[in-house]
Amino acid sequence: DGGITQSPKYLFRKEGQNVTLSCEQNLNHDAMYWYRQDPGQGLRLIYYSQIVNDFQKGDIAEGYSVSREKKESFPLTVTSAQKNPTAFYLCASSIGTTTDTQYFGPGTRLTVL
Amino acid sequence: GENVEQHPSTLSVQEGDSAVIKCTYSDSASNYFPWYKQELGKRPQLIIDIRSNVGEKKDQRIAVTLNKTAKHFSLHITETQPEDSAVYFCAANPWAGSNYKLTFGKGTLLTVNP
């Protein structure tokens, strides 16, 4: 777990501003994922990437964007188009496909004021 | 898309009792079913998983069973201890058109009372 990091731990933004959440891993994993966690909603997949320079939308991609320019990094941008951005965001990585164990980062709690 | 239903949403047991959490899924193509434990304020961690070619898997006090015909799988924790108190998530990997993705249940808050 120590091999996947997210920063910052807490983030505050004003409504209408874009914000980028960082996710880095040194596990040499090919696949990386972003989830949103809300109380009583479980973990919902936002975007995932199975290889550098490629990514797919998850179940709730609207209002979010990602990039995968490096194997180690998978930043998530929460845009002003996301209607309810306040949430806990978790990044994860796995060796390859989703039949491999996903290791989660510590999360970033985003609050939009 | 895949729908993963998890029950119950909350579960309270006495220390030493067993706890059972059940999940159902809809996509028959799913072939991987992990369980994650998330303690308060911490990240989810895998505790056990099962693949579709196996009906049951055990690891000390925890076990998972899978019924592919009925499309349901369950987590069993025996001899519960206070440190088992956490939120537990089940997941399944439906086919997403070009690859598999992981879909999680909404979680079960397990409280083990001393």
Coordinates of all heavy atoms in Angstrom, one line a residue, chain A residues 28-106:
Chain A
N28 N 5.2 -0.3 -10.3 CA 5.3 -0.8 -11.7 C 4.0 -1.5 -12.2 O 4.1 -2.4 -13.0 CB 6.5 -1.8 -11.8 CG 7.0 -1.9 -13.2 OD1 6.9 -0.9 -14.0 ND2 7.5 -3.1 -13.6
H29 N 2.9 -1.0 -11.7 CA 1.6 -1.5 -12.2 C 1.2 -0.8 -13.5 O 1.4 0.4 -13.7 CB 0.5 -1.2 -11.1 CG 0.7 -2.1 -9.9 ND1 -0.1 -1.9 -8.8 CD2 1.4 -3.2 -9.7 CE1 0.2 -2.9 -7.9 NE2 1.1 -3.6 -8.4
D30 N 0.6 -1.6 -14.4 CA 0.1 -1.1 -15.6 C -1.2 -0.4 -15.5 O -1.5 0.6 -16.2 CB 0.0 -2.2 -16.7 CG 1.3 -2.7 -17.2 OD1 2.2 -1.8 -17.5 OD2 1.5 -3.9 -17.4
A31 N -2.1 -0.9 -14.6 CA -3.4 -0.4 -14.5 C -3.6 0.6 -13.4 O -3.1 0.3 -12.3 CB -4.4 -1.5 -14.4
M32 N -4.4 1.6 -13.6 CA -4.7 2.6 -12.5 C -6.2 3.0 -12.6 O -6.7 2.9 -13.7 CB -3.8 3.8 -12.6 CG -2.3 3.5 -12.4 SD -1.2 4.9 -12.3 CE -1.6 5.5 -10.6
Y33 N -6.7 3.3 -11.5 CA -8.2 3.6 -11.4 C -8.4 4.8 -10.5 O -7.7 5.0 -9.5 CB -8.9 2.4 -10.8 CG -8.5 1.0 -11.3 CD1 -7.3 0.4 -10.9 CD2 -9.2 0.4 -12.3 CE1 -6.9 -0.8 -11.4 CE2 -8.8 -0.8 -12.8 CZ -7.7 -1.4 -12.4 OH -7.3 -2.6 -12.9
W34 N -9.6 5.4 -10.7 CA -10.1 6.5 -9.8 C -11.5 6.1 -9.4 O -12.3 5.8 -10.3 CB -10.1 7.8 -10.5 CG -8.8 8.6 -10.4 CD1 -7.9 8.8 -11.4 CD2 -8.3 9.2 -9.2 NE1 -6.8 9.5 -10.9 CE2 -7.1 9.8 -9.6 CE3 -8.8 9.4 -7.9 CZ2 -6.3 10.5 -8.7 CZ3 -8.0 10.1 -7.0 CH2 -6.8 10.7 -7.4
Y35 N -11.7 6.2 -8.1 CA -13.1 5.9 -7.6 C -13.5 7.1 -6.7 O -12.7 7.8 -6.2 CB -13.0 4.7 -6.6 CG -12.8 3.4 -7.3 CD1 -11.5 2.9 -7.4 CD2 -13.8 2.6 -7.8 CE1 -11.2 1.7 -8.0 CE2 -13.6 1.4 -8.5 CZ -12.3 0.9 -8.6 OH -12.0 -0.3 -9.2
R36 N -14.8 7.3 -6.7 CA -15.4 8.2 -5.8 C -16.2 7.5 -4.7 O -16.9 6.5 -5.0 CB -16.3 9.1 -6.6 CG -17.2 10.0 -5.7 CD -18.1 10.9 -6.6 NE -19.0 11.6 -5.7 CZ -19.4 12.9 -6.0 NH1 -19.0 13.6 -7.0 NH2 -20.2 13.5 -5.1
Q37 N -16.0 7.9 -3.4 CA -16.7 7.3 -2.3 C -17.6 8.3 -1.6 O -17.1 9.3 -1.1 CB -15.7 6.7 -1.3 CG -16.4 5.9 -0.2 CD -15.4 5.1 0.6 OE1 -14.3 5.4 0.8 NE2 -15.9 4.0 1.2
D38 N -18.9 8.0 -1.6 CA -19.8 8.8 -0.8 C -20.5 8.0 0.2 O -20.6 6.7 0.0 CB -20.9 9.4 -1.8 CG -20.3 10.3 -2.8 OD1 -20.0 11.5 -2.5 OD2 -20.2 9.9 -4.0
P39 N -20.9 8.5 1.3 CA -21.5 7.7 2.4 C -22.7 6.9 1.8 O -23.6 7.4 1.2 CB -22.0 8.8 3.4 CG -21.1 9.9 3.2 CD -20.8 10.0 1.7
G40 N -22.7 5.6 2.1 CA -23.8 4.7 1.7 C -23.8 4.4 0.2 O -24.7 3.7 -0.3
Q41 N -22.8 4.8 -0.6 CA -22.8 4.6 -2.0 C -21.7 3.6 -2.4 O -21.5 3.3 -3.6 CB -22.6 5.9 -2.8 CG -23.7 6.9 -2.6 CD -25.0 6.3 -3.3 OE1 -24.9 5.7 -4.4 NE2 -26.1 6.4 -2.6
G42 N -20.9 3.2 -1.5 CA -19.8 2.3 -2.0 C -18.7 3.0 -2.8 O -18.6 4.3 -2.6
L43 N -18.0 2.3 -3.6 CA -17.0 2.9 -4.4 C -17.5 2.9 -5.9 O -17.8 1.8 -6.4 CB -15.7 2.0 -4.4 CG -15.1 1.9 -3.0 CD1 -14.0 0.8 -3.0 CD2 -14.6 3.2 -2.4
R44 N -17.5 4.0 -6.5 CA -18.0 4.2 -7.9 C -16.8 4.6 -8.8 O -16.1 5.5 -8.5 CB -19.1 5.2 -8.0 CG -20.4 4.7 -7.2 CD -21.5 5.6 -7.4 NE -21.3 6.9 -6.7 CZ -22.1 8.0 -6.8 NH1 -23.1 8.0 -7.7 NH2 -21.8 9.0 -6.1
L45 N -16.7 3.8 -9.9 CA -15.6 4.0 -10.8 C -15.8 5.2 -11.7 O -16.8 5.4 -12.3 CB -15.4 2.7 -11.7 CG -14.3 2.7 -12.6 CD1 -12.9 2.7 -11.9 CD2 -14.4 1.4 -13.5
I46 N -14.7 6.1 -11.7 CA -14.8 7.3 -12.5 C -14.1 7.1 -13.8 O -14.7 7.3 -14.9 CB -14.1 8.5 -11.7 CG1 -14.8 8.7 -10.4 CG2 -14.3 9.8 -12.6 CD1 -14.0 9.7 -9.5
Y47 N -12.8 6.7 -13.8 CA -12.0 6.4 -15.0 C -11.0 5.3 -14.6 O -10.7 5.2 -13.5 CB -11.2 7.7 -15.4 CG -11.9 8.6 -16.4 CD1 -12.6 9.7 -16.0 CD2 -11.8 8.3 -17.8 CE1 -13.2 10.6 -16.9 CE2 -12.4 9.1 -18.7 CZ -13.1 10.3 -18.3 OH -13.7 11.1 -19.2
Y48 N -10.6 4.6 -15.6 CA -9.5 3.7 -15.4 C -8.6 3.6 -16.7 O -9.0 4.0 -17.8 CB -10.0 2.3 -15.1 CG -10.9 1.6 -16.1 CD1 -10.5 0.5 -16.8 CD2 -12.2 2.0 -16.3 CE1 -11.3 -0.1 -17.7 CE2 -13.0 1.4 -17.2 CZ -12.6 0.3 -17.9 OH -13.4 -0.3 -18.8
S49 N -7.4 3.2 -16.4 CA -6.4 3.1 -17.5 C -5.6 1.8 -17.3 O -5.1 1.5 -16.3 CB -5.4 4.3 -17.3 OG -4.3 4.1 -18.2
Q50 N -5.5 1.1 -18.4 CA -4.8 -0.2 -18.4 C -3.5 -0.1 -19.0 O -2.7 -1.1 -18.8 CB -5.7 -1.3 -19.1 CG -7.0 -1.5 -18.4 CD -7.7 -2.8 -18.8 OE1 -7.8 -3.0 -20.0 NE2 -8.1 -3.6 -17.9
I51 N -3.2 1.0 -19.6 CA -1.8 1.2 -20.2 C -1.6 2.7 -20.4 O -2.5 3.5 -20.5 CB -1.7 0.4 -21.5 CG1 -0.3 0.2 -22.0 CG2 -2.6 1.1 -22.6 CD1 -0.2 -0.8 -23.1
V52 N -0.3 3.0 -20.5 CA 0.0 4.4 -20.7 C -0.6 5.0 -22.0 O -0.7 4.2 -23.0 CB 1.6 4.6 -20.8 CG1 1.9 6.0 -21.1 CG2 2.2 4.2 -19.5
N53 N -1.1 6.2 -21.9 CA -1.7 6.9 -23.1 C -3.1 6.3 -23.5 O -3.5 6.6 -24.6 CB -0.8 6.9 -24.3 CG 0.5 7.8 -24.0 OD1 0.4 8.9 -23.4 ND2 1.6 7.4 -24.5
D54 N -3.7 5.6 -22.6 CA -5.0 5.0 -22.9 C -5.8 5.0 -21.6 O -5.3 4.7 -20.5 CB -4.9 3.6 -23.5 CG -6.3 3.1 -23.9 OD1 -7.0 3.9 -24.5 OD2 -6.6 2.0 -23.6
F55 N -7.1 5.4 -21.7 CA -8.0 5.3 -20.5 C -9.4 5.2 -21.0 O -9.7 5.5 -22.1 CB -7.8 6.5 -19.6 CG -7.8 7.9 -20.3 CD1 -9.0 8.5 -20.6 CD2 -6.6 8.5 -20.7 CE1 -9.1 9.7 -21.2 CE2 -6.7 9.7 -21.3 CZ -7.9 10.3 -21.6
Q56 N -10.2 4.7 -20.1 CA -11.7 4.5 -20.4 C -12.5 5.1 -19.3 O -12.1 5.2 -18.2 CB -12.0 3.0 -20.5 CG -11.4 2.3 -21.7 CD -10.0 1.8 -21.4 OE1 -9.6 1.4 -20.3 NE2 -9.2 1.9 -22.5
K57 N -13.7 5.5 -19.7 CA -14.7 6.0 -18.8 C -15.2 4.9 -17.9 O -15.5 3.8 -18.4 CB -15.8 6.7 -19.5 CG -15.5 8.0 -20.2 CD -16.7 8.6 -20.9 CE -16.3 9.9 -21.6 NZ -17.5 10.5 -22.3
G58 N -15.5 5.3 -16.6 CA -16.1 4.3 -15.7 C -17.6 4.6 -15.7 O -18.2 5.1 -16.7
D59 N -18.2 4.4 -14.6 CA -19.7 4.6 -14.4 C -20.1 6.0 -14.2 O -21.3 6.3 -14.5 CB -20.2 3.7 -13.3 CG -19.8 2.2 -13.5 OD1 -20.1 1.7 -14.6 OD2 -19.4 1.6 -12.6
I60 N -19.2 6.9 -13.7 CA -19.6 8.2 -13.4 C -18.6 9.2 -13.9 O -18.1 10.1 -13.1 CB -19.9 8.4 -11.9 CG1 -18.7 8.0 -11.0 CG2 -21.1 7.6 -11.4 CD1 -18.7 8.4 -9.6
A61 N -18.3 9.2 -15.2 CA -17.2 10.0 -15.7 C -17.5 11.5 -16.0 O -16.7 12.3 -16.1 CB -16.7 9.4 -17.0
E62 N -18.8 11.8 -16.0 CA -19.2 13.1 -16.4 C -18.7 14.1 -15.4 O -18.9 14.0 -14.2 CB -20.7 13.2 -16.5 CG -21.2 14.6 -16.9 CD -22.8 14.6 -17.1 OE1 -23.4 13.5 -17.0 OE2 -23.3 15.7 -17.3
G63 N -18.0 15.2 -15.9 CA -17.5 16.2 -15.1 C -16.1 16.0 -14.6 O -15.5 16.8 -13.8
Y64 N -15.5 14.9 -15.0 CA -14.1 14.5 -14.7 C -13.3 14.3 -15.9 O -13.8 14.0 -17.0 CB -14.1 13.2 -13.9 CG -14.8 13.3 -12.6 CD1 -16.1 12.7 -12.5 CD2 -14.3 13.8 -11.4 CE1 -16.9 12.7 -11.3 CE2 -15.0 13.8 -10.2 CZ -16.3 13.3 -10.2 OH -17.0 13.3 -9.0
S65 N -12.0 14.5 -15.8 CA -11.1 14.2 -16.9 C -9.8 13.6 -16.3 O -9.4 13.9 -15.1 CB -10.7 15.4 -17.8 OG -10.0 16.4 -17.0
V66 N -9.1 12.8 -17.1 CA -7.8 12.2 -16.6 C -6.8 12.2 -17.8 O -7.1 12.5 -18.9 CB -8.0 10.7 -16.2 CG1 -8.9 10.6 -15.0 CG2 -8.6 9.9 -17.4
S67 N -5.6 11.9 -17.4 CA -4.5 11.7 -18.4 C -3.6 10.6 -17.9 O -3.6 10.3 -16.7 CB -3.7 13.0 -18.6 OG -3.0 13.4 -17.4
R68 N -2.9 9.9 -18.8 CA -2.0 8.9 -18.4 C -0.7 9.0 -19.3 O -0.5 8.2 -20.2 CB -2.6 7.5 -18.5 CG -1.8 6.4 -18.0 CD -1.9 6.2 -16.5 NE -1.0 5.3 -15.9 CZ -1.1 3.9 -15.9 NH1 -2.2 3.4 -16.5 NH2 -0.2 3.1 -15.4
E69 N 0.0 10.0 -19.0 CA 1.2 10.3 -19.8 C 2.4 9.4 -19.3 O 3.4 9.2 -20.1 CB 1.6 11.7 -19.8 CG 0.5 12.6 -20.4 CD 0.8 14.1 -20.3 OE1 1.8 14.5 -19.8 OE2 -0.1 14.9 -20.8
K70 N 2.4 9.1 -18.1 CA 3.5 8.2 -17.5 C 2.8 7.0 -16.8 O 1.7 7.1 -16.2 CB 4.3 9.1 -16.5 CG 5.0 10.2 -17.1 CD 5.9 10.9 -16.0 CE 5.2 11.3 -14.8 NZ 6.1 12.0 -13.8
K71 N 3.6 6.0 -16.7 CA 3.1 4.7 -16.1 C 2.8 5.0 -14.6 O 1.9 4.4 -14.0 CB 4.1 3.6 -16.3 CG 3.6 2.3 -15.8 CD 4.7 1.2 -16.1 CE 4.2 -0.2 -15.8 NZ 5.2 -1.2 -16.1
E72 N 3.6 5.9 -14.0 CA 3.5 6.0 -12.5 C 2.4 7.0 -12.1 O 2.1 7.1 -10.9 CB 4.9 6.6 -12.0 CG 6.1 5.7 -12.3 CD 6.6 5.9 -13.8 OE1 6.2 6.9 -14.4 OE2 7.3 5.0 -14.3
S73 N 1.9 7.8 -13.0 CA 1.0 8.9 -12.7 C -0.3 8.8 -13.4 O -0.4 8.6 -14.6 CB 1.7 10.2 -13.0 OG 0.9 11.3 -12.6
F74 N -1.4 9.1 -12.6 CA -2.8 9.1 -13.2 C -3.6 10.2 -12.5 O -4.4 10.0 -11.7 CB -3.4 7.8 -13.0 CG -4.7 7.5 -13.7 CD1 -4.8 7.9 -15.0 CD2 -5.7 6.8 -13.1 CE1 -6.0 7.6 -15.7 CE2 -6.9 6.5 -13.8 CZ -7.0 6.9 -15.1
P75 N -3.3 11.5 -12.9 CA -4.0 12.6 -12.2 C -5.5 12.7 -12.7 O -5.8 12.4 -13.8 CB -3.2 13.8 -12.7 CG -2.6 13.4 -14.0 CD -2.3 11.9 -13.8
L76 N -6.3 13.1 -11.7 CA -7.7 13.3 -12.0 C -8.1 14.8 -11.8 O -7.8 15.4 -10.8 CB -8.6 12.5 -11.0 CG -10.1 12.7 -11.0 CD1 -10.7 12.0 -12.2 CD2 -10.7 12.2 -9.7
T77 N -8.7 15.4 -12.9 CA -9.2 16.7 -12.8 C -10.7 16.7 -12.6 O -11.5 16.1 -13.3 CB -8.9 17.5 -14.0 OG1 -7.4 17.6 -14.2 CG2 -9.4 18.9 -14.0
V78 N -11.1 17.4 -11.5 CA -12.6 17.6 -11.2 C -12.9 19.0 -11.8 O -12.4 20.0 -11.4 CB -12.8 17.6 -9.7 CG1 -14.3 17.7 -9.5 CG2 -12.3 16.3 -9.1
T79 N -13.7 19.0 -12.9 CA -14.0 20.2 -13.5 C -15.3 20.9 -12.9 O -16.0 20.3 -12.1 CB -14.3 20.0 -15.0 OG1 -15.6 19.4 -15.2 CG2 -13.2 19.1 -15.6
S80 N -15.5 22.1 -13.4 CA -16.7 22.9 -12.9 C -18.0 22.3 -13.4 O -19.0 22.6 -12.9 CB -16.5 24.3 -13.3 OG -16.4 24.4 -14.7
A81 N -17.9 21.4 -14.3 CA -19.1 20.7 -14.9 C -19.6 19.6 -13.9 O -20.7 19.1 -14.1 CB -18.8 20.1 -16.2
Q82 N -18.8 19.2 -13.0 CA -19.2 18.1 -12.0 C -20.1 18.8 -11.0 O -19.7 19.7 -10.2 CB -18.0 17.5 -11.3 CG -18.3 16.7 -10.1 CD -19.4 15.6 -10.3 OE1 -20.3 15.5 -9.6 NE2 -19.2 14.8 -11.4
K83 N -21.4 18.4 -11.0 CA -22.4 19.1 -10.2 C -22.3 18.9 -8.7 O -22.7 19.8 -7.9 CB -23.8 18.6 -10.7 CG -24.1 18.9 -12.1 CD -25.5 18.8 -12.5 CE -25.7 19.0 -14.0 NZ -25.1 20.2 -14.5
N84 N -21.7 17.8 -8.3 CA -21.6 17.6 -6.8 C -20.3 17.0 -6.5 O -20.1 15.8 -6.2 CB -22.7 16.6 -6.4 CG -22.8 16.5 -4.9 OD1 -22.2 17.3 -4.1 ND2 -23.4 15.4 -4.4
P85 N -19.2 17.8 -6.6 CA -17.8 17.3 -6.5 C -17.3 17.0 -5.1 O -16.4 16.3 -4.9 CB -17.0 18.4 -7.1 CG -17.8 19.7 -6.8 CD -19.2 19.3 -6.9
T86 N -18.0 17.5 -4.1 CA -17.6 17.2 -2.7 C -17.7 15.7 -2.4 O -18.8 15.1 -2.5 CB -18.4 18.0 -1.7 OG1 -18.1 19.4 -1.9 CG2 -18.0 17.6 -0.3
A87 N -16.5 15.0 -2.1 CA -16.5 13.6 -1.9 C -15.1 13.2 -1.5 O -14.2 14.0 -1.5 CB -16.9 12.8 -3.2
F88 N -15.0 11.9 -1.2 CA -13.7 11.3 -0.9 C -13.3 10.5 -2.2 O -14.0 9.7 -2.7 CB -13.9 10.3 0.2 CG -12.6 9.7 0.8 CD1 -11.5 10.5 1.1 CD2 -12.4 8.4 0.9 CE1 -10.4 10.0 1.7 CE2 -11.2 7.8 1.4 CZ -10.2 8.7 1.8
Y89 N -12.1 10.8 -2.7 CA -11.6 10.3 -4.0 C -10.4 9.3 -3.7 O -9.4 9.6 -3.0 CB -11.1 11.4 -4.9 CG -12.3 12.2 -5.4 CD1 -12.7 13.3 -4.7 CD2 -13.0 11.8 -6.6 CE1 -13.8 14.1 -5.2 CE2 -14.0 12.6 -7.1 CZ -14.4 13.7 -6.3 OH -15.5 14.4 -6.8
L90 N -10.6 8.1 -4.2 CA -9.6 7.0 -4.0 C -9.0 6.6 -5.4 O -9.7 6.4 -6.3 CB -10.2 5.8 -3.4 CG -10.5 5.9 -1.9 CD1 -11.6 4.8 -1.5 CD2 -9.3 5.7 -1.1
C91 N -7.7 6.5 -5.4 CA -6.9 6.0 -6.5 C -6.5 4.6 -6.2 O -6.2 4.3 -5.1 CB -5.8 7.0 -6.8 SG -4.7 6.5 -8.2
A92 N -6.4 3.8 -7.2 CA -5.9 2.4 -7.0 C -5.1 2.0 -8.2 O -5.1 2.6 -9.3 CB -7.1 1.5 -6.9
S93 N -4.3 1.0 -8.0 CA -3.5 0.4 -9.1 C -3.5 -1.1 -9.0 O -3.7 -1.7 -8.0 CB -2.1 1.0 -9.2 OG -1.3 0.5 -8.1
S94 N -3.3 -1.8 -10.2 CA -3.1 -3.2 -10.2 C -2.1 -3.6 -11.2 O -1.8 -2.8 -12.1 CB -4.5 -3.9 -10.4 OG -4.9 -3.6 -11.7
I95 N -1.6 -4.8 -11.1 CA -0.5 -5.2 -12.1 C -1.0 -5.1 -13.5 O -0.3 -4.6 -14.4 CB -0.1 -6.7 -11.8 CG1 0.6 -6.7 -10.4 CG2 0.8 -7.2 -12.9 CD1 0.9 -8.2 -10.0
G96 N -2.3 -5.6 -13.7 CA -2.8 -5.6 -15.1 C -4.3 -5.5 -15.1 O -4.9 -4.4 -14.8
T97 N -4.9 -6.6 -15.4 CA -6.4 -6.6 -15.5 C -7.1 -6.5 -14.2 O -6.5 -6.5 -13.1 CB -6.9 -7.8 -16.3 OG1 -6.7 -8.9 -15.3 CG2 -6.0 -8.1 -17.5
T98 N -8.4 -6.4 -14.2 CA -9.2 -6.3 -13.0 C -9.3 -7.6 -12.3 O -10.0 -7.7 -11.3 CB -10.6 -5.7 -13.3 OG1 -11.2 -6.5 -14.3 CG2 -10.6 -4.3 -13.7
T99 N -8.7 -8.7 -12.8 CA -8.7 -9.9 -12.0 C -7.4 -9.9 -11.1 O -7.1 -10.9 -10.5 CB -8.7 -11.1 -12.9 OG1 -7.6 -11.0 -13.9 CG2 -10.0 -11.3 -13.6
D100 N -6.7 -8.8 -11.1 CA -5.5 -8.7 -10.3 C -5.9 -7.8 -9.1 O -6.8 -6.9 -9.2 CB -4.3 -8.0 -11.0 CG -3.8 -8.9 -12.1 OD1 -3.7 -10.1 -11.9 OD2 -3.6 -8.3 -13.2
T101 N -5.3 -8.0 -8.0 CA -5.6 -7.2 -6.8 C -5.4 -5.7 -7.0 O -4.4 -5.3 -7.5 CB -4.7 -7.7 -5.6 OG1 -4.9 -9.1 -5.4 CG2 -5.0 -6.9 -4.3
Q102 N -6.4 -4.9 -6.6 CA -6.2 -3.5 -6.6 C -5.7 -3.0 -5.3 O -6.3 -3.3 -4.2 CB -7.5 -2.8 -7.0 CG -8.0 -3.1 -8.4 CD -9.1 -2.3 -8.9 OE1 -9.5 -1.3 -8.3 NE2 -9.8 -2.7 -10.0
Y103 N -4.7 -2.2 -5.3 CA -4.1 -1.5 -4.1 C -4.5 -0.1 -4.1 O -4.3 0.6 -5.1 CB -2.6 -1.7 -4.1 CG -2.1 -3.1 -4.1 CD1 -2.0 -3.9 -5.2 CD2 -1.9 -3.7 -2.8 CE1 -1.6 -5.2 -5.1 CE2 -1.5 -5.0 -2.8 CZ -1.3 -5.8 -3.9 OH -0.9 -7.1 -3.8
F104 N -5.1 0.4 -3.0 CA -5.6 1.7 -2.9 C -4.6 2.7 -2.3 O -3.9 2.3 -1.4 CB -6.9 1.7 -2.1 CG -8.1 1.2 -2.9 CD1 -8.3 -0.2 -2.9 CD2 -8.9 2.0 -3.6 CE1 -9.4 -0.7 -3.7 CE2 -10.0 1.5 -4.3 CZ -10.2 0.1 -4.3
G105 N -4.7 3.9 -2.7 CA -4.0 5.0 -2.1 C -4.8 5.5 -0.8 O -5.9 5.0 -0.6
P106 N -4.3 6.4 -0.1 CA -4.9 6.9 1.1 C -6.1 7.8 0.9 O -6.9 8.0 1.9 CB -3.8 7.6 1.9 CG -2.9 8.1 0.8 CD -3.0 7.1 -0.3

